[in-house]
Amino acid sequence: MKLTSGLGGQLTVDLGALARNWRALDKVSQGALTAAVVKADAYGTGIEMAATALYAAGARFFFVATPDEGSAVRTSLPEAHIFVLDGLYPGAANFYIRQNLMPVISSMEMLEEWLAKCVERNEGYPSAFHFDTGMNRLGFRLNESVAVRERISRLGYAPQMVMSHLACADVPNHEKNRTQLALFSSVLNQFPGIPASLANSAGLMTGRDYHFQMVRPGIALYGGRAVIGRKNPMANVVTLHAPILQVREARTGETVGYGAAYSLSRDSRLAVIGHGYADGFQRSLSSNNTRPGGKVFVRGKLCPILGKISMDLTIVDITELGPDIPKPGEGVEIFGPNISVDDQADVAGTIGYEMLTSLKGRYSRNYVGNGYLQE
């Protein structure tokens, strides 16, 4: 592939695939509203473009992490319903109200500040309540559910939604899933008639018991693997190409990269790629003579990374291409339809989420599939 920018790597985001993924998940979640999680710059794809495509596909409810992310979505989608997962930042209630953002309230302190603002303005501004059912992250403790209900009952306030988050949904048979489901159901007894949400991407795929009134897919929208041990059914959304800067010949016994970590056991042809850990390509994808590293896709073949990944450069063995020698400026696929983000993540010892949200490197962005309104 010849890169079109001529200035470095190229990140291609297929908005049509993003829209198709949302529609596919919406079919699975029949009877429940399908929201879209667009935090962390829509998992590295660009929050404004991704949110607009998802809205066109049919999404009306969006989840962000921070109020500034919510503001970015609001600018693009004035009619969207936007929840802020981090909750109410202290002293920021007026900002949420101006931007029509709904905090996901997770503590008594947050609740009191939000209710005080509602009383001050004589307006029941919407929010969601988050209860911790087993992660020990954000969330009211389970034993606070009665106190929360009694507090809002005195003011006649009701949340838009009650929610929690699954810790082990990527392993569908994990016993903690059923435990959290039971604990969440017990919380809901305190809030009759209030819509509920528990399922992320993996929870959505695990079973309808977890769907309630709204599901909140994230990673699956962007083509990432949500469930461990299953074939990923989602369409590829993100493709990253990086340019070959130089092709060079190297001899048996010569070493490659920093620390002389890889010693060549044969005469080799190497391609030096303009892409490194400063571009979000994890250094843990490096290799040595006892540990294989990651691979990239070059001219129809997977080619291994040799030695340590540098800040700006990665060295790849292209010997197996034979006489089919790529030229400087040609792009190699870092991940995409031929080598998935999860393939790279598995080798790096991380998850596709981290690979995608690390996409802040030195490359141009290219959006395709703008006909996402079409089925």
Side-chain angles (χ1 to χ4, degrees):
M1 173 185 177
K2 182 73 173 179
L3 296 182
T4 57
S5 69
L7 299 175
Q10 182 171 290
L11 181 73
T12 301
V13 179
D14 188 338
L15 297 176
L18 178 65
R20 291 194 298 275
N21 282 344
W22 184 89
R23 292 193 184 107
L25 294 169
D26 189 49
K27 289 180 181 178
V28 175
S29 65
Q30 294 176 11
L33 293 170
T34 304
V37 179
V38 293
K39 61 183 179 175
D41 200 30
Y43 288 57
T45 65
I47 193 168
E48 292 89 353
M49 294 292 288
T52 300
L54 290 162
Y55 191 91
R60 294 296 178 266
F61 294 85
F62 294 83
F63 285 82
V64 299
T66 63
D68 60 317
E69 291 179 342
S71 181
V73 177
R74 176 62 66 218
T75 299
S76 301
L77 302 175
E79 302 300 320
H81 307 283
I82 305 169
F83 292 94
V84 179
L85 290 164
D86 283 2
L88 178 63
Y89 282 43
N94 288 336
F95 180 85
Y96 286 69
I97 292 168
R98 285 196 305 271
Q99 295 291 318
N100 192 18
L101 306 176
M102 294 177 282
V104 178
I105 292 174
S106 57
S107 70
M108 294 303 294
E109 292 81 6
M110 283 187 193
L111 179 61
E112 291 299 340
E113 184 172 349
W114 192 245
L115 292 178
K117 186 59 64 174
C118 292
V119 170
E120 175 189 318
R121 298 198 176 190
N122 195 30
E123 182 72 42
Y125 295 110
S127 67
F129 291 173
H130 184 114
F131 283 85
D132 173 28
T133 56
M135 285 197 75
N136 269 310
R137 296 197 314 182
L138 293 175
F140 291 106
R141 302 292 296 182
L142 294 178
N143 60 13
E144 293 179 299
S145 62
V146 173
V148 171
R149 175 182 56 79
E150 291 177 347
R151 181 69 183 93
I152 63 174
S153 295
R154 290 197 295 270
L155 290 178
Y157 182 87
Q160 297 293 107
M161 184 171 62
V162 175
M163 58 181 283
S164 189
H165 193 69
L166 294 165
C168 303
D170 55 344
V171 183
N173 294 326
H174 200 291
E175 63 181 18
K176 195 170 184 70
N177 295 328
R178 303 302 300 183
T179 299
Q180 286 191 263
L181 178 62
L183 292 173
F184 186 57
S185 297
S186 71
V187 169
L188 296 182
N189 291 332
Q190 299 293 332
F191 302 94
I194 302 299
S197 179
L198 179 62
N200 54 6
S201 293
L204 190 163
M205 296 176 180
T206 293
R208 291 188 178 177
D209 287 350
Y210 298 89
H211 289 183
F212 292 94
Q213 285 73 48
M214 182 183 289
V215 294
R216 315 185 304 269
I219 189 66
L221 292 174
Y222 307 99
R225 180 182 64 210
V227 178
I228 296 172
R230 291 185 188 172
K231 183 179 179 180
N232 183 4
M234 311 313 297
N236 181 71
V237 173
V238 184
T239 301
L240 180 60
H241 287 95
I244 293 174
L245 303 180
Q246 186 181 81
V247 175
R248 58 190 300 122
E249 306 295 328
R251 301 303 178 197
T252 302
E254 293 181 348
T255 62
V256 180
Y258 279 120
Y262 194 97
S263 180
L264 294 172
S265 60
R266 65 177 180 178
D267 291 350
S268 303
R269 180 173 292 124
L270 309 179
V272 183
I273 312 300
H275 191 72
Y277 59 77
D279 303 293
F281 204 38
Q282 272 84 345
R283 197 165 180 264
S284 53
L285 288 162
S286 302
S287 72
N288 56 44
N289 289 98
T290 59
R291 177 192 178 278
K295 297 179 180 180
V296 300
F297 192 76
V298 188
R299 292 202 172 186
K301 290 189 177 181
L302 292 172
C303 298
I305 294 168
L306 298 189
K308 293 181 181 179
I309 292 173
S310 305
M311 183 182 294
D312 317 300
L313 304 169
T314 297
I315 303 166
V316 177
D317 185 352
I318 59 170
T319 309
E320 297 303 319
L321 296 183
D324 188 20
I325 303 173
K327 300 291 192 293
E330 184 171 333
V332 304
E333 183 182 310
I334 303 299
F335 53 75
N338 298 295
I339 180 168
S340 75
V341 66
D342 293 300
D343 292 334
Q344 298 287 32
D346 289 344
V347 176
T350 184
I351 53 177
Y353 300 72
E354 185 180 14
M355 298 291 293
L356 287 175
T357 58
S358 297
L359 294 177
K360 302 176 178 68
R362 298 161 291 188
Y363 33 73
S364 62
R365 287 178 182 247
N366 180 37
Y367 290 93
V368 299
N370 289 1
Y372 42 72
L373 286 172
Q374 300 175 6
E375 290 290 346

